[in-house]
Amino acid sequence: MQSILLGVDRLNAFIGKLFAWCIVILMLAICYEVFRRYVLRDPTTWAYDVSLMLYGTLFMMAGAYTLSRNGHVRGDFLYRKWRPTTQARTDLVLYFLFYFPGILALIYAGWGYFQLSYMLNEHSSFSPDGPVIWPFKAIIPFVGVMMLLQGVVEVVRCLICIRDGDWPQRLHDVEEMEKIILDEAAAKAEQQSRQEATLTAIERDATTRGSL
Amino acid sequence: MFISDPALGIVMLVLFLIFLMLGFPIAFTLMALGVGFGYFTQGDSIFNLFVQRTYSVMANDVLISIPLFLFMGYVIERANILDRLFRAIQLAAGWIPGSLAVATLITCALFATATGIVGAVVTLMGLLAFPAMLRAGYDTKIASGVVCAGGCLGILIPPSVMLILYGATAGVSVVKLYAAAFIPGITLAAMYMAYVVIRVIINPALAPKLPAEERNVPAGEIALALLTSFLPLVALIVSVLGCIIFGLATPSEAAAIGAMGAILLALAYRTFSVEKLKDSVFLTARASAMVCWLFVGSAVFSAVFALLGGQRVVEEFIMSLDLGPVGFLILTQIIIFVLGWPLEWTEIIVIFLPIFLPLLDHFGIDPIFFGVLVALNLQTSFLSPPVAMAPFYLKGVAPKHVSIDEIFSGVMPFIFIVVFAMALLYIFPGFALWLPNYLYGG
Amino acid sequence: HAQAPIRLKFQSTWPNKDIFHEFAGDYVKRVNAMTGGRVELELLPAGSVVPAFQMLDAVSSGILDGGHGVAAYWYGKNKAFSLFGTAPAFGWDADELLGWVRYGGGQALYDDLVQNTLKLNVVGMLSGPMPSQPLGWFKKEITSAADMKGMKYRTVGLGADLFKEFGAAVTIVPGGEIVPAIDRGLLDGAEFNNPSSDLVLGFPDVAKVYMLGSYHQALECFEILFNKTKFESLPKDVQEILRGASDATSATMMWKAQDRYSKDLEAIKARGVKVLPTPKPVLEAQLKAWDVVIANLSADPVFKKVVDSQKEWAKRIVGFRLEYEPDSKFAYDHFFKTA
Ligand code: NA
Ligand code: NA
């Protein structure tokens, strides 16, 4: 069971991280367009469409990866203060009430949306030579399936937490600067005195949400 | 059976406020409520609406600059540029009363402007500047207020991701917003500094002078430090901002060039590696997903809210209060200020602001001016308890004897300064509107 | 006890303040009045349910019951769509285009494209003839086709293909997003449609040269769409009213435009904008570019069938008009020309 969970986690992280490199391509593509326009006075016809597609692909494909790292923003001013089992019980109910219906709708509707576009061999309407657009639209149902799988994993995480009384470890990954620093500070504090309650509480405060 | 039960729209909004507190990821709560209420009233067609709204976020060209600016920020943050910057500024500011605090504010403002990532700035400065100030005998409250307030300036001073989000939500020009937020942002930073300097002049015990050997650094050494550590970052920020404000490039183009510049700068400092590039790329993907999925959720939620006629009810209600423009402005700013206690700026801008924005026209309020007021106001969302991320971050890295209450009370005067700045801006709207008007005409 | 009215969600592709949204509103008011309260069209501006460019999908899939826009906006689905809004400049005007729709076989070709080629679940009515559109708004005067080479320019429909032949980088954005796009540097030059819209959308704030009279969109008409399933479920007389009101407002729209466009052009001049005609060399280049565009796109049999039918109509009808009508400028100059 554990290995299937980690497998899904890894798969989504792999996809998310793979498409994360879109940011580098996006940066290079736009810099190239800027060069063509301002230096050669000969702008590309594709830059607009391509940058939209890279940006859209980047954030959509990272959706499940972000969920697997608990990175979607929560309104957590109460949630933070709860015991892990209370958090897990609430999450568990809400995954079924909120998450799965929405994601299933995304898969169902996204598939139809993609199919129609595919049937028409639809091209982008932003430029006269607009590239085909159905592969971009295909991302919606695809991401829906990724999110569905990740949702199942998160549900199991909730169950484990309810059983064990604490959240299971997530896969190690690159972290926000403040999380790294706070973790180090927490570790140091733990060394100095035995487990300082306030610090861990504060740390939990500071790390259940995204950090912008 | 058909639709138009505006009461249902209000129920949906109230339910959202309740469910929000359960701590479930907001993007999915919004999605579920939108799709659920939509299905209940519209039937199957809601699925098409949902997917179309999702697609419209994927095809929103204003949002392209968000991952690019985030990427630029992460590159700068990972490249250990901050220590060099702080050292250089600290050397140069030695002669000013409360020099360490002033240097901290300047470093924060610059670094936060380049990265736009509040958490990183507060924690890094909490490790670097905060202990330095405490060692020098600074008052703990002043020191913590300076780190927290300074660290938040990055979301106000352009180029800022917050203003892009506001631009995308309100449908106003990001370029004009940048021009409008520029002077107020710099002014707020200056007011923070003036506050610190005045307090120190009145009561020098708050910030003892540095030892003479640290104050009397040879001018040549200062110049060199500034030249190598201060100037390059400033040049990067200025060129990115200049390109946007003077219309030489779109925000996305400037952001792409800025990201490229950040990588080159990091390479020049020999502080960059493939590992750090990877970190920045993956963090960018996660942060972008967080923001943009919030947009997806809010897009379907607000479309259903409008279909149900909920928006109209809110508008009619506010109109029935018979407020003038001033009353409306004060009401909305108070609501945003209060929302900032439990919430952070992303949620407020993406979810709650769209409810007020259509009314601006009715009251004859310039959405650019309103945007700058909101951006100022949201500075407090990081600082105000109970959810005050900046103090939390600082507490996490501060020495044990510094209590969270001490930090909160240190931050309080800075919240008042923000409110004062808002009042000032309201009385003199020219602070915000002069630059965009000058650059782009009426 | 009166029956509850049939409520229909009707979204335009125009911003709230645009005169086009007002035209959409005129249609809605007319329908609501003619049905004596049995039908209530509820008008929404672009973006309230879906963005402008997604209105067709939304109507076809039933998210919206109907909408007001132009066929050129569905250009990504099939370029032939554009022929039913903004057709090539064969010397005809938009009124003559609508004549083709009614009496030259245009409607049948339109229905065939929409329902058979694209399998869209919509009923469309073409309505509201527009005068020739300006070449648009620029930072500097356009004196030759070469001036537009490398320029980031906004237009819609086949006009986009036309300016591609000029070497411009054409970006197609909906009406409400043009001025923000110029603001943030995405566009160097742009056209929307007419003095009233251009004034209220804020063009004079971002550009100071306004070039009139271009062949890229020498004629255009609006398109009123309804979801086909919904439309056919309505009582027969209501269906007839929806069509009849489209014809009625087609005429009132044209008359209102005469009044407003002429006044707003004066208002634009009063804002210090330099208003100039599109110079002859640019017009010549446009006609040559039309030849290329038509030849290229005629590779698609659907496109070819429609454009051939249009040519045949334009040849006869414009030929008739030129032979039949006296020169209006001659008379105008006699009465109004000040030396
Ligand atoms: Na707060
Ligand atoms: Na046009």
Side-chain angles (χ1 to χ4, degrees):
Chain A
M1 190 66 198
Q2 192 77 12
S3 66
I4 298 176
L5 291 191
L6 290 181
V8 171
D9 254 17
R10 288 214 178 87
L11 175 69
N12 279 329
F14 173 76
I15 296 173
K17 287 179 172 181
L18 183 68
F19 285 94
W21 291 96
C22 285
I23 187 65
V24 176
I25 307 173
L26 178 63
M27 177 187 79
L28 294 173
I30 295 183
C31 287
Y32 177 71
E33 156 73 11
V34 167
F35 174 76
R36 284 272 299 256
R37 174 175 322 133
Y38 295 102
V39 181
L40 307 182
R41 302 230 147 255
D42 178 26
T44 65
T45 53
W46 47 261
Y48 186 77
D49 278 302
V50 165
S51 28
L52 271 182
M53 286 181 185
L54 285 168
Y55 140 81
T57 308
L58 169 72
F59 91 80
M60 286 297 281
M61 289 298 198
Y65 166 48
T66 305
L67 185 66
S68 81
R69 301 299 187 265
N70 197 17
H72 284 289
V73 57
R74 296 168 179 266
D76 59 353
F77 49 102
L78 297 176
Y79 183 90
R80 278 173 297 115
K81 307 245 187 320
W82 298 344
R83 277 178 302 128
T85 46
T86 315
Q87 293 180 341
R89 286 204 183 93
T90 317
D91 273 1
L92 184 65
V93 173
L94 296 184
Y95 267 107
F96 285 99
L97 196 63
F98 288 160
Y99 185 81
F100 290 118
I103 294 300
L104 287 171
L106 194 66
I107 299 174
Y108 167 73
W111 178 252
Y113 192 59
F114 153 72
Q115 248 189 337
L116 183 71
S117 176
Y118 180 74
M119 207 182 66
L120 298 176
N121 194 23
E122 188 179 5
H123 283 61
S124 159
S125 51
F126 293 124
S127 60
D129 289 321
V132 279
I133 205 140
W134 53 261
F136 188 45
K137 289 188 171 176
I139 287 176
I140 299 175
F142 179 78
V143 165
V145 173
M146 285 167 66
M147 300 290 276
L148 182 69
L149 291 175
Q150 191 61 45
V152 174
V153 173
E154 297 304 315
V155 161
V156 176
R157 279 213 169 96
C158 293
L159 292 172
I160 294 175
C161 176
I162 293 169
R163 190 190 65 195
D164 298 351
D166 202 356
W167 287 105
Q169 199 79 46
R170 287 183 185 272
L171 281 179
H172 179 74
D173 201 349
V174 47
E175 289 299 349
E176 296 281 355
M177 188 62 85
E178 59 272 16
K179 172 105 167 74
I180 299 172
I181 297 172
L182 292 170
D183 283 350
E184 276 170 13
K188 219 192 288 167
E190 210 164 328
Q191 257 175 7
Q192 284 169 356
S193 62
R194 284 193 312 106
Q195 186 84 27
E196 194 165 347
T198 50
L199 190 53
T200 36
I202 299 285
E203 188 217 349
R204 178 164 288 144
D205 266 359
T207 50
T208 53
R209 57 163 53 243
S211 69
L212 287 179
Chain B
M1 38 131 283
F2 198 73
I3 355 155
S4 208
D5 193 354
L8 219 51
I10 300 304
V11 170
M12 178 167 93
L13 186 64
V14 171
L15 277 184
F16 170 68
L17 288 173
I18 295 169
F19 287 138
L20 178 71
M21 290 189 263
L22 296 179
F24 199 67
I26 297 175
F28 306 115
T29 309
L30 286 166
M31 238 182 240
L33 285 172
V35 174
F37 274 77
Y39 186 75
F40 187 60
T41 53
Q42 318 282 303
D44 281 348
S45 75
I46 185 62
F47 297 122
N48 295 310
L49 177 67
F50 180 28
V51 69
Q52 281 199 17
R53 294 307 303 228
T54 305
Y55 184 71
S56 68
V57 178
M58 293 166 68
N60 183 332
D61 68 348
V62 177
L63 298 178
I64 295 177
S65 47
I66 287 187
L68 287 165
F69 274 125
L70 289 172
F71 185 52
M72 170 178 159
Y74 282 119
V75 169
I76 291 175
E77 173 212 287
R78 297 274 143 169
N80 307 339
I81 291 176
L82 187 67
D83 341 13
R84 312 174 61 114
L85 186 66
F86 181 58
R87 276 284 306 151
I89 296 173
Q90 187 197 332
L91 285 179
W95 54 276
I96 303 172
S99 65
L100 273 178
V102 172
T104 303
L105 280 170
I106 297 175
T107 312
C108 278
L110 263 182
F111 193 70
T113 299
T115 65
I117 305 165
V118 168
V121 183
V122 174
T123 44
L124 286 170
M125 289 306 276
L127 280 182
L128 196 68
F130 192 63
M133 283 190 277
L134 295 190
R135 266 199 309 275
Y138 276 48
D139 175 62
T140 316
K141 288 181 189 165
I142 284 247
S144 42
V146 158
V147 170
C148 292
C152 301
L153 283 169
I155 58 160
L156 172 64
I157 303 176
S160 104
V161 172
M162 176 206 267
L163 295 172
I164 301 174
L165 244 60
Y166 178 85
T169 308
V172 298
S173 154
V174 174
V175 177
K176 282 187 184 164
L177 273 172
Y178 276 6
F182 185 71
I183 295 175
I186 302 290
T187 308
L188 185 65
M191 282 164 75
Y192 286 170
M193 285 177 228
Y195 165 76
V196 170
V197 171
I198 290 170
R199 291 242 5 225
V200 171
I201 290 175
I202 294 171
N203 180 3
L206 290 175
K209 279 197 175 141
L210 291 178
E213 69 271 16
E214 280 187 49
R215 269 181 293 140
N216 303 326
V217 186
E221 198 180 316
I222 296 180
L224 183 70
L226 285 180
L227 199 65
T228 55
S229 304
F230 176 76
L231 268 188
L233 192 66
V234 173
L236 182 66
I237 299 171
V238 167
S239 53
V240 166
L241 196 57
C243 278
I244 299 172
I245 290 187
F246 293 106
L248 302 177
T250 67
S252 331
E253 288 168 351
I257 298 167
M260 186 73 105
I263 291 178
L264 296 178
L265 188 61
L267 286 173
Y269 284 148
R270 300 180 183 284
T271 51
F272 208 52
S273 62
V274 175
E275 213 41 54
K276 286 185 174 171
L277 174 66
K278 269 178 155 174
D279 287 359
S280 313
V281 166
F282 301 153
L283 286 169
T284 301
R286 268 151 54 185
S288 309
M290 183 200 105
V291 173
C292 297
W293 278 86
L294 198 59
F295 257 100
V296 170
S298 131
V300 61
F301 183 88
S302 55
V304 172
F305 190 61
L307 267 176
L308 293 175
Q311 183 63 40
R312 222 173 35 220
V313 176
V314 172
E315 284 172 22
E316 277 162 12
F317 172 72
I318 293 187
M319 304 250 204
S320 75
L321 296 178
D322 215 19
L323 299 164
V326 187
F328 172 75
L329 217 51
I330 292 174
L331 176 73
T332 48
Q333 295 301 330
I334 289 177
I335 293 175
I336 291 167
F337 183 75
V338 172
L339 284 172
W341 295 347
L343 299 176
E344 298 289 326
W345 62 270
T346 30
E347 298 100 286
I348 296 174
I349 286 193
V350 176
I351 303 161
F352 291 98
L353 225 47
I355 298 175
F356 304 127
L357 287 170
L359 285 157
L360 293 183
D361 208 32
H362 172 81
F363 289 104
I365 297 167
D366 184 342
I368 303 264
F369 175 69
F370 190 76
V372 179
L373 268 183
V374 170
L376 265 176
N377 195 343
L378 288 179
Q379 288 285 306
T380 64
S381 76
F382 284 97
L383 302 173
S384 56
V387 179
M389 294 321 286
F392 289 167
Y393 290 137
L394 181 61
K395 169 65 191 155
V397 295
K400 261 186 303 178
H401 63 83
V402 178
S403 76
I404 189 82
D405 291 332
E406 247 177 319
I407 301 180
F408 279 150
S409 64
V411 160
M412 222 36 93
F414 291 89
I415 296 182
F416 286 120
I417 296 177
V418 174
V419 175
F420 177 66
M422 288 175 64
L424 213 58
L425 181 62
Y426 177 74
I427 299 166
F428 305 106
F431 264 112
L433 297 178
W434 175 78
L435 189 59
N437 283 344
Y438 175 76
L439 287 170
Y440 316 114
Chain C
H1 182 69
Q3 230 185 336
I6 304 168
R7 289 218 169 86
L8 301 177
K9 288 272 168 208
F10 190 85
Q11 187 195 289
S12 83
T13 51
W14 319 117
N16 222 337
K17 293 180 214 158
D18 185 359
I19 189 171
F20 284 5
H21 192 66
E22 191 181 323
F23 292 150
D26 291 342
Y27 174 72
V28 164
K29 277 188 211 135
R30 186 62 68 98
V31 169
N32 293 350
M34 285 168 95
T35 57
R38 276 195 300 152
V39 172
E40 224 174 79
L41 286 188
E42 188 190 341
L43 177 66
L44 302 159
S48 34
V49 180
V50 290
F53 279 176
Q54 292 186 25
M55 191 270 273
L56 175 66
D57 282 345
V59 172
S60 178
S61 58
I63 297 169
L64 294 166
D65 300 308
H68 186 276
V70 287
Y73 276 12
W74 327 129
Y75 165 93
K77 304 243 179 258
N78 190 315
K79 291 197 178 180
F81 235 132
S82 199
L83 293 170
F84 296 97
T86 170
F90 297 131
W92 55 344
D93 62 24
D95 214 18
E96 289 159 342
L97 173 78
L98 289 174
W100 168 75
V101 169
R102 287 312 172 77
Y103 296 100
Q107 186 71 47
L109 288 167
Y110 174 86
D111 293 341
D112 187 51
L113 172 73
V114 168
Q115 282 155 20
N116 301 329
T117 310
L118 300 175
K119 312 250 185 297
L120 293 162
N121 187 32
V122 298
V123 171
M125 302 156 199
L126 299 166
S127 160
M130 302 176 202
S132 288
Q133 295 174 35
L135 183 65
W137 296 82
F138 304 92
K139 308 225 153 89
K140 281 197 311 234
E141 189 181 336
I142 302 297
T143 55
S144 70
D147 286 350
M148 292 185 72
K149 185 169 164 18
M151 174 185 282
K152 290 173 291 173
Y153 177 78
R154 182 272 181 194
T155 183
V156 292
L158 296 172
D161 295 69
L162 184 91
F163 285 116
K164 196 189 81 188
E165 298 302 323
F166 276 41
V170 180
T171 302
I172 300 165
V173 293
E177 294 167 27
I178 304 171
V179 168
I182 298 178
D183 257 352
R184 57 175 196 274
L186 196 66
L187 300 170
D188 306 319
E191 61 89 43
F192 177 56
N193 192 281
N194 64 80
S196 302
S197 299
D198 290 4
L199 178 63
V200 78
L201 292 180
F203 282 88
D205 294 340
V206 294
K208 288 292 174 225
V209 177
Y210 192 26
M211 315 268 312
L212 306 181
S214 163
Y215 283 139
H216 78 286
Q217 288 184 289
L219 65 167
E220 188 168 14
C221 64
F222 291 106
E223 181 192 44
I224 293 171
L225 290 172
F226 285 96
N227 177 278
K228 189 158 176 265
T229 316
K230 190 84 200 180
F231 187 84
E232 284 168 355
S233 76
L234 296 169
K236 279 278 173 300
D237 61 329
V238 170
Q239 293 184 18
E240 196 47 40
I241 288 172
L242 292 176
R243 290 187 190 282
S246 161
D247 285 351
T249 47
S250 184
T252 53
M253 189 231 104
M254 193 168 52
W255 302 328
K256 185 187 254 185
Q258 290 171 3
D259 178 39
R260 298 274 288 278
Y261 291 4
S262 56
K263 280 180 187 156
D264 285 328
L265 185 62
E266 293 312 307
I268 286 172
K269 287 179 186 161
R271 294 277 299 270
V273 172
K274 215 161 129 191
V275 179
L276 300 163
T278 301
K280 202 71 176 268
V282 176
L283 292 174
E284 275 166 11
Q286 284 181 335
L287 293 178
K288 284 195 190 120
W290 268 124
D291 285 337
V292 179
V293 170
I294 293 168
N296 286 345
L297 296 179
S298 290
D300 173 12
V302 176
F303 188 94
K304 184 166 172 15
K305 196 162 72 176
V306 179
V307 88
D308 284 349
S309 164
Q310 290 190 332
K311 265 188 176 162
E312 197 187 312
W313 178 265
K315 190 172 176 205
R316 174 160 61 93
I317 276 38
V318 180
F320 168 77
R321 164 160 55 83
L322 293 176
E323 184 180 351
Y324 197 75
E325 296 279 344
D327 184 1
S328 63
K329 188 171 185 310
F330 187 50
Y332 182 86
D333 286 351
H334 170 79
F335 289 103
F336 305 112
K337 188 153 187 188
T338 46

